[in-house]
Amino acid sequence: MIKYLNNNSYRDFEKKLKKIRSHKELKKFYKNFLKNFQYLNLKYKFSINFDLKYINQQLKNFDYKKKDIFFGIPFGIKDVFNTKYLKTRFGSDLFENYFPGNNARVVDIIEGQQGVTFCKTTTAEFAVHYFPEKKTLNPFDINHITGTSSSGSAVAVASGALPCALATQTAGSIIRPASFCGVLGFKPSFGALDRTGVLKTTDTLDTIGLFASDIYGIEQVFKNLIQSSNQYPYSKNFFLKKPKKKIKIGIISDNFIFYKKYDDIVKKNFDNFCNQYLKNFDVKNNFKVDFINDVHENHENIYCKSLAYYFSSLRKRKIKMSKIMNRMIDQGAKITKNKYLHSLSAQLQQTKKFELMMKNYDFLITPSTASIAPKIGKKEKKDTCLIWTYFGAPSISLPIFYDQKTGLPFGLQVITSRYNDFALLDFSNKLIKNLSKNKKR
């Protein structure tokens, strides 16, 4: 099991803040915290925008007698979320001096519960793929990539600079950085968290999630960001209790068409984990799940066509964008309306197949990524991350594997059915505790 770089758990952070009784004490706490943050940010370059004046303004407005759930917790906000008093650049030089004038809904919820909008974390251009070299560095090895668009948030938490950070995923932008940077990354059910005020790239795929330094932190933030009102009729589904039973687990390995191309170190560690730690569960391996192998093409059609729609005006104005962004927009423009609608229909049909299949399983497990983090300039191998995004299913990457030769981490991904998010977090927490106990023996 891998050792976290971040030794300050969200729970410990919360305990320290609860003991604070005055603005003077909180200011002193933040002074020490800020030194560590600035040092790590200079080293790993995960944030381009934080404002000391705004941070102090938030701290002054806190009620120290009636502490809310996020009292004093500093949040990293991926730079695709609107923030009223911090610039929102969407990872693009085009928006270098842009202030949206409002907060994203989830940012308002955080601030309304005395959380601190601490900084904006770096993101890929328009949250797609492109990360310039030397922008957001992997804390395990700066010569290796950090993943895709939510990497700034992942590195901020992985390095110990922040206890939690908001992120988004349209393909694998939470799970991959979590795997490559050795940190917990959680992608909830599609629609679990309100996307108002967040950059839109793809209507049926964009999902808000987060990174945190422990499962407790992920659960605390997630359950308090879910909207519970008549305006959000599906929110009650997340709190339905399921009867206890023997847990059934499905293993995704050779039944995924690209698994044979995974790195040997990934397959070896994953096989050892399954053999050693899943003895007490009802486990099925290599079961038939062919429909997951048809997802990548449909996902690409939906993604590229959506990018062509939302960013066509920038393309026409010949705004400078990365090669990969231009390629995806051009590719999307060539996708016919019928082909796009066919892929949307396929997404619905395949999601129904997935949901039907999940009646036989509580959880699926698979490696989070096909390899350790590739060297800068190299491409990632295809993995299953976007499959679960496509189905709207919640998933989490647990930092439990590493390559002894390079010291680089990679994660175990756990997936469950939609709305079963809290069961996923509970199971993941127990799994990590069991791994820790076995390691101490």
Side-chain angles (χ1 to χ4, degrees):
M1 180 179 174
I2 196 165
K3 184 179 180 181
Y4 289 104
L5 286 179
N6 187 347
N7 293 317
N8 294 318
S9 71
Y10 183 102
R11 188 188 290 272
D12 289 341
F13 213 93
E14 186 182 72
K15 286 179 180 178
K16 290 175 184 177
L17 286 164
K18 282 182 177 179
K19 294 178 182 178
I20 289 174
R21 294 289 178 267
S22 68
H23 176 65
K24 186 178 179 180
E25 288 179 17
L26 187 59
K27 196 172 180 180
K28 184 179 178 181
F29 176 88
Y30 257 83
K31 185 179 179 180
N32 295 328
F33 171 74
L34 190 60
K35 282 182 182 179
N36 184 57
F37 175 89
Q38 289 176 314
Y39 166 75
L40 291 169
N41 189 35
L42 188 65
K43 191 173 182 180
Y44 299 120
K45 307 181 190 306
F46 48 76
S47 175
I48 54 171
N49 199 346
F50 66 97
D51 186 332
L52 288 175
K53 187 177 179 181
Y54 181 50
I55 292 169
N56 285 324
Q57 181 185 327
Q58 293 177 83
L59 300 180
K60 282 181 181 178
N61 293 333
F62 287 165
D63 183 345
Y64 293 87
K65 292 181 180 179
K66 187 180 178 182
K67 293 180 180 178
D68 232 320
I69 194 71
F70 295 140
F71 175 78
I73 298 288
F75 282 80
I77 312 293
K78 182 178 177 179
D79 198 23
V80 296
F81 290 74
N82 284 359
T83 44
K84 189 173 182 178
Y85 298 106
L86 294 177
K87 293 176 184 178
T88 302
R89 301 180 183 182
F90 309 113
S92 169
D93 292 339
L94 179 65
F95 291 88
E96 188 175 359
N97 295 303
Y98 176 62
F99 285 89
N102 63 354
N103 282 332
R105 183 70 57 79
V106 290
V107 175
D108 271 337
I109 295 170
I110 288 169
E111 291 188 356
Q113 298 188 54
Q114 295 184 315
V116 179
T117 298
F118 190 81
C119 69
K120 301 301 281 289
T121 57
T122 51
T123 183
E125 179 189 46
F126 300 118
V128 183
H129 286 292
Y130 178 67
F131 253 107
E133 288 186 20
K134 298 183 180 179
K135 178 183 178 182
T136 311
L137 305 177
N138 193 316
F140 281 86
D141 189 331
I142 63 172
N143 297 309
H144 290 253
I145 69 170
T146 51
T148 43
S149 74
S150 294
S151 291
S153 290
V155 173
V157 177
S159 65
L162 292 171
C164 54
L166 296 183
T168 63
Q169 178 160 307
T170 304
S173 293
I174 293 174
I175 301 300
R176 285 191 195 123
S179 182
F180 292 156
C181 298
V183 69
L184 287 160
F186 173 53
K187 186 206 79 69
S189 295
F190 176 78
L193 302 180
D194 194 322
R195 298 185 298 177
T196 303
V198 183
L199 177 69
K200 184 185 287 187
T201 62
T202 315
D203 292 87
T204 64
L205 299 170
D206 292 347
T207 308
I208 293 175
L210 62 146
F211 299 92
S213 50
D214 54 15
I215 294 284
Y216 171 81
I218 286 179
E219 186 169 4
Q220 278 291 90
V221 175
F222 177 60
K223 74 180 180 183
N224 287 288
L225 289 185
I226 292 177
Q227 295 276 1
S228 298
S229 72
N230 293 333
Q231 291 177 308
Y232 300 88
Y234 293 105
S235 62
K236 64 179 181 293
N237 292 323
F238 293 97
F239 299 99
L240 295 176
K241 292 183 179 180
K242 293 196 171 185
K244 292 182 179 180
K245 56 187 177 180
K246 186 170 185 180
I247 293 174
K248 296 181 180 179
I249 295 175
I251 297 175
I252 302 293
S253 54
D254 292 320
N255 40 12
F256 175 51
I257 195 170
F258 295 108
Y259 189 75
K260 59 187 176 185
K261 295 183 179 180
Y262 279 30
D263 283 4
D264 288 339
I265 186 67
V266 172
K267 292 190 282 189
K268 181 181 177 181
N269 274 265
F270 182 62
D271 287 344
N272 288 341
F273 169 83
C274 292
N275 292 331
Q276 189 172 355
Y277 293 105
L278 301 183
K279 295 175 182 178
N280 297 324
F281 302 108
D282 184 358
V283 178
K284 285 191 179 180
N285 198 353
N286 293 326
F287 56 96
K288 194 172 182 181
V289 63
D290 293 341
F291 63 92
I292 69 169
N293 296 315
D294 299 324
V295 166
H296 280 71
E297 183 180 352
N298 288 316
H299 181 282
E300 188 170 24
N301 288 340
I302 294 168
Y303 199 4
C304 290
K305 189 65 176 177
S306 297
L307 291 178
Y309 174 77
Y310 284 115
F311 295 94
S312 59
S313 61
L314 297 182
R315 190 81 172 93
K316 288 175 183 176
R317 287 162 54 193
K318 296 184 178 179
I319 298 295
K320 187 177 180 181
M321 290 186 283
S322 64
K323 288 181 180 179
I324 191 168
M325 189 74 180
N326 283 321
R327 179 186 65 76
M328 293 180 75
I329 290 172
D330 288 343
Q331 184 178 334
K334 293 175 184 176
I335 294 171
T336 65
K337 179 181 176 182
N338 286 339
K339 190 174 183 180
Y340 173 67
L341 291 175
H342 172 77
S343 289
L344 281 178
S345 178
Q347 184 184 14
L348 288 172
Q349 292 170 12
Q350 290 168 330
T351 298
K352 287 179 181 177
K353 284 185 179 180
F354 171 76
E355 290 171 350
L356 187 64
M357 182 194 78
M358 288 305 293
K359 289 183 178 180
N360 298 317
Y361 302 97
D362 294 292
F363 307 101
L364 304 178
I365 64 166
T366 191
S368 297
T369 47
S371 69
I372 57 173
K375 285 191 174 181
I376 292 172
K378 300 289 184 180
K379 290 183 177 180
E380 309 107 312
K381 293 182 177 181
K382 284 187 177 179
D383 52 42
T384 67
C385 291
L386 65 77
I387 294 174
W388 321 120
T389 310
Y390 180 86
F391 294 145
S395 63
I396 189 168
S397 182
L398 309 179
I400 65 171
F401 300 129
Y402 70 100
D403 177 7
Q404 290 184 334
K405 186 177 179 181
T406 63
L408 290 169
F410 55 97
L412 173 74
Q413 187 171 192
V414 188
I415 306 103
T416 191
S417 53
R418 195 172 178 184
Y419 306 127
N420 207 25
D421 299 56
F422 288 109
L424 174 67
L425 296 178
D426 182 61
F427 175 71
S428 298
N429 195 34
K430 289 175 181 176
L431 198 59
I432 286 177
K433 284 182 178 178
N434 287 336
L435 286 166
S436 298
K437 286 180 183 177
N438 286 330
K439 186 183 177 183
K440 290 176 182 177
R441 288 173 184 171

